[in-house]
C-alpha cells in the first residue's frame, strides 16, 4: 500500500452501493439459473452411474487394456485427420484475412463492416457438424467434407479475432504511411499487417489445435479421418480398439500443442 506525501495512508478503494447491487444482481441471477436448471439437465439422476457397476467395470477393464494390433491403420487415419485440420485452417486463414480487415471499424466504412460481421456471425453460429453433413450430401463421404466444414466454421472465428486485433493497432505507423502519400492498400500492407501478423499467426495456430480435435469428431459423420474408424469400432463394441485410438489421438494432439506453443513463443 502506498503512503501519501503527508504521511497519511489512503483509504482502500471501495465499491459504490450501485456497483454492489449490480454484482449481486448478476451473480445472483447466475446462481438462480443454475439452481433452476438442475432438473432440466437431469442432475438428479447422477445415481444411475452406480446402478450397473458390473457393466461399468467390464467396459473400464477393456478401455484400460488397449489393443494396438491395427496401430498402422490408426496412425494412418490420425495423419489424415491432421491433414484435414491443416488444410481446413489454411483455407480459413485466406478467407479470414480479407473478412477481418473488412470487419474492422477503423479500416472499413460502416456499410461494409455491418454485412461482413453478419456473415462472420453466421459462419460461427452453424456447428461444423451441420456444415459437414451438408458437404457429405454434396460431395460424398471422405476427407473433403471435413476440410470444407472446418474451413467455413474457422473462417468466421478467425475473422472476428483478426478484426479485433486490427481495431487495437497503434495508429502511428498507419499515419506515417499516409503522410508519405501511400494509398489505402499501402497503409494495410505496411502499417497494419506488420503489427497484427504475429497475433494473427498465434490465433491461426490455436485454431489448428482445436481443429485437430474437431476433425476427429467430423469423422463420425463420414468426413474421413480417425473419427470414422473410432465410430466403426464403437459400433462393433471393440472397446480395446477404441482405447488404442483414443491414445493415438491424445498423443497426436499433445504433439501438435507442443509444436504450436514453440512456434507462438518465437512469434510473440
Amino acid at each position: 500500500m502506498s503512503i501519501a506525501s503527508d504521511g497519511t495512508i489512503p483509504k482502500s478503494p471501495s465499491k459504490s452501493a450501485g456497483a454492489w447491487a449490480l454484482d449481486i444482481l448478476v451473480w445472483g441471477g447466475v446462481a438462480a439459473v443454475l439452481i433452476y436448471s438442475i432438473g432440466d439437465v437431469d442432475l438428479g439422476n447422477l445415481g444411475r452411474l452406480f446402478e450397473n457397476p458390473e457393466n461399468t467395470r467390464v467396459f473400464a477393464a477393456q478401455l484400460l487394456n488397449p489393443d494396438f494390433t491395427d496401430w498402422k491403420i490408426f496412425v494412418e487415419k490420425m495423419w489424415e485427420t491432421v491433414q484435414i485440420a491443416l488444410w481446413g485452417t489454411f483455407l480459413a486463414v485466406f478467407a479470414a484475412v480479407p473478412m477481418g480487415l473488412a470487419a474492422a471499424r477503423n479500416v472499413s466504412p460502416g456499410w461494409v463492416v455491418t454485412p461482413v460481421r453478419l456473415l462472420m456471425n453466421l459462419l460461427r453460429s452453424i456447428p461444423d457438424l451441420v456444415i459437414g453433413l451438408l458437404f457429405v450430401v454434396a460431395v460424398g463421404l471422405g476427407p473433403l467434407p471435413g476440410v470444407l466444414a472446418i474451413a467455413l466454421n474457422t473462417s468466421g472465428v478467425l475473422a472476428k479475432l483478426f478484426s479485433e486485433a486490427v481495431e487495437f493497432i497503434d495508429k502511428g505507423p498507419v499515419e506515417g504511411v499516409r503522410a508519405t502519400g501511400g494509398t489505402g492498400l499501402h497503409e494495410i500492407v505496411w502499417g497494419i499487417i506488420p503489427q497484427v501478423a504475429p497475433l494473427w499467426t498465434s490465433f491461426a495456430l490455436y485454431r489448428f489445435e482445436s481443429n485437430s480435435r474437431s476433425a476427429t469428431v467430423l469423422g463420425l459423420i463420414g468426413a474421413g479421418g480417425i473419427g470414422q474408424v473410432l465410430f466403426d469400432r464403437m459400433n462393433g463394441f471393440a472397446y480395446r480398439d477404441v482405447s488404442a485410438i483414443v491414445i493415438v489421438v491424445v498423443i497426436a494432439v499433445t504433439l501438435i500443442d507442443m509444436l504450436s506453443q514453440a512456434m507462438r513463443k518465437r512469434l510473440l
Side-chain angles (χ1 to χ4, degrees):
M1 180 182 295
S2 61
I3 301 177
S5 58
D6 58 359
T8 61
I9 299 177
K11 294 182 179 179
S12 59
S14 59
K15 289 185 178 181
S16 64
W20 277 112
L22 181 60
D23 286 347
I24 293 173
L25 180 63
V26 171
W27 294 111
V30 172
V33 171
L34 286 172
I35 295 172
Y36 175 80
S37 60
I38 287 177
D40 293 339
V41 300
D42 212 19
L43 282 178
N45 291 318
L46 276 174
R48 293 179 182 174
L49 287 172
F50 310 101
E51 290 180 357
N52 297 306
E54 182 61 25
N55 293 339
T56 304
R57 187 191 65 79
V58 172
F59 179 68
Q62 292 189 36
L63 287 180
L64 293 175
N65 185 24
D67 182 3
F68 286 98
T69 303
D70 296 330
W71 68 270
K72 290 184 179 180
I73 297 176
F74 302 156
V75 172
E76 178 185 350
K77 288 297 183 179
M78 188 65 231
W79 173 237
E80 182 178 87
T81 299
V82 172
Q83 293 177 86
I84 292 172
L86 181 62
W87 266 104
T89 307
F90 180 77
L91 295 176
V93 169
F94 268 85
V97 168
M99 280 199 297
L101 291 170
R105 296 183 178 90
N106 58 337
V107 174
S108 304
W111 60 270
V112 174
V113 171
T114 300
V116 172
R117 285 184 174 269
L118 288 175
L119 176 61
M120 288 160 42
N121 293 337
L122 176 65
L123 293 175
R124 291 200 315 276
S125 61
I126 302 177
D128 47 12
L129 277 175
V130 176
I131 301 176
L133 282 172
L134 292 175
F135 282 120
V136 165
V137 174
V139 302
L141 301 175
L144 181 58
V147 171
L148 298 177
I150 288 176
L152 283 182
N153 183 267
T154 303
S155 63
V157 176
L158 288 180
K160 177 177 174 60
L161 296 174
F162 287 3
S163 65
E164 291 177 350
V166 172
E167 289 179 345
F168 287 97
I169 62 170
D170 182 5
K171 297 180 180 179
V174 179
E175 293 173 351
V177 174
R178 187 180 304 130
T180 62
T183 63
L185 181 60
H186 292 145
E187 293 176 13
I188 293 174
V189 173
W190 301 110
I192 296 177
I193 298 297
Q195 295 189 65
V196 299
L199 197 57
W200 281 7
T201 305
S202 178
F203 290 150
L205 289 172
Y206 173 74
R207 284 303 305 180
F208 173 56
E209 297 173 29
S210 301
N211 289 339
S212 299
R213 294 182 288 272
S214 298
T216 300
V217 178
L218 285 170
L220 301 179
I221 60 172
I226 192 69
Q228 198 164 349
V229 180
L230 176 63
F231 185 64
D232 292 339
R233 300 302 168 94
M234 288 181 65
N235 285 339
F237 302 103
Y239 297 125
R240 294 184 61 199
D241 288 354
V242 170
S243 179
I245 292 171
V246 170
I247 291 173
V248 170
V249 172
V250 170
I251 292 174
V253 172
T254 301
L255 291 175
I256 291 171
D257 179 65
M258 293 171 60
L259 176 62
S260 178
Q261 287 184 15
M263 294 178 68
R264 280 201 297 268
K265 286 181 180 179
R266 295 182 62 88
L267 292 169
L268 299 177

